[in-house]
Amino acid sequence: MPGENASLTPEPGHLYVVATPIGNLADLTERAKAILSQVDAIACEDTRTTGAMLTRLGIRRPLFAYHDHNEIKAAEEIASRLQAGQSIALVSDAGTPGISDPGFRAARECQRLKLPIVPLPGACALTSLLSVSGLPTDAFFFAGFLAPKSAARIRFFQEYRNFKHTIALYESCHRIEKMMTELEGALGTERVVCLGRELTKKFETIVTGPINEVRERLKTASKKGEFVVLIAPEGYEL
Ligand code: SAM
């Protein structure tokens, strides 16, 4: 393709921010595999998780930790390795680094120090669900994970009740039913939502409809796994 960044070989002093699969190993791109197998080192959220993925791919590279609890120091380490001429890849446990995952500080450090940083796009739970949801995608607001406390979540729903665009949230299996009950209480039974569970995995479930219908489906389905929730603007009909 014209203008494509064709290089499948990492360059010295470059940071590659690499999206990894959210459940289906075949979703790792060819470019990601090529870069991961040749960089000097890979910064990752959990060395066991990334180590297991790399083993399945037959890739062996040195790993070092970059996670929520050491992100500032690890971002400095990445910068000094880059300045010493190493090529580094940054991955999170799953999906796109920086999207409700560590990654932001390394990107900021590279931009601040004018070090080359290269995105390797790929899986992301948010965009995967948006693309099939049937909800408006021309503009949307990604709110990430809401606060764990019920009162804060209800306040959020009330505050964004009349928001003009689709709202996207991440939620864990432990809170999904409670969150859907709060959502229905705050926005009413007719509001259209889309729920995506275990995307790209064996038990992938995608349901779009008014909240009350989606909640009914959720009652009968397994609540295990990971969820993305999309909320349509008020008045939106399928
Ligand atoms: N960086 C990731 C991305 O690009 O999507 C998100 C990481 S965040 C720590 C994990 C959350 O993403 C999960 O709690 C869930 O809300 C969502 N998620 C990740 N994988 C998913 C999947 N396969 N199906 C549904 N939701 C998923």
Side-chain angles (χ1 to χ4, degrees), residues 126 129-131 133 135 166-169 183 192-196 228-232:
L126 158 74
L129 187 63
L130 271 171
S131 69
S133 65
L135 268 55
T166 297
I167 297 173
L169 306 171
L183 194 57
V192 172
V193 297
C194 173
L195 200 67
V228 183
V229 180
L230 305 176
I231 307 165

Side-chain angles (χ1 to χ4, degrees), residues 22-23 92 94-97 99-101 123-126 145 170-172 196-201 226-228:
I22 55 168
S92 61
T96 302
I99 307 300
S100 290
D101 260 345
C124 177
L126 158 74
F145 287 97
Y170 280 169
E171 192 50 277
S172 75
R197 170 181 161 261
E198 295 286 85
L199 298 168
T200 77
K201 300 186 194 177
E226 304 188 278
F227 290 85
V228 183

Side-chain angles (χ1 to χ4, degrees), residues 16 28 37 39 42 48 52-53 61 65 80 85 96 110 122 137 141 145 151 165-166 205 208 217 228 235:
Y16 296 86
L28 190 72
S37 58
V39 282
I42 301 173
R48 284 162 307 181
M53 180 189 76
R61 300 309 306 141
S80 59
T96 302
C110 285
T137 52
F141 167 40
F145 287 97
H165 305 293
T166 297
T205 315
T208 294
R217 283 283 298 275
V228 183

Side-chain angles (χ1 to χ4, degrees), residues 24-56:
N24 188 330
L25 192 61
D27 290 337
L28 190 72
T29 68
E30 197 186 325
R31 194 165 157 230
K33 263 185 249 173
I35 295 294
L36 287 174
S37 58
Q38 298 170 81
V39 282
D40 290 313
I42 301 173
C44 58
E45 201 178 348
D46 184 326
T47 51
R48 284 162 307 181
T49 306
T50 299
M53 180 189 76
L54 295 176
T55 300
R56 286 180 67 191

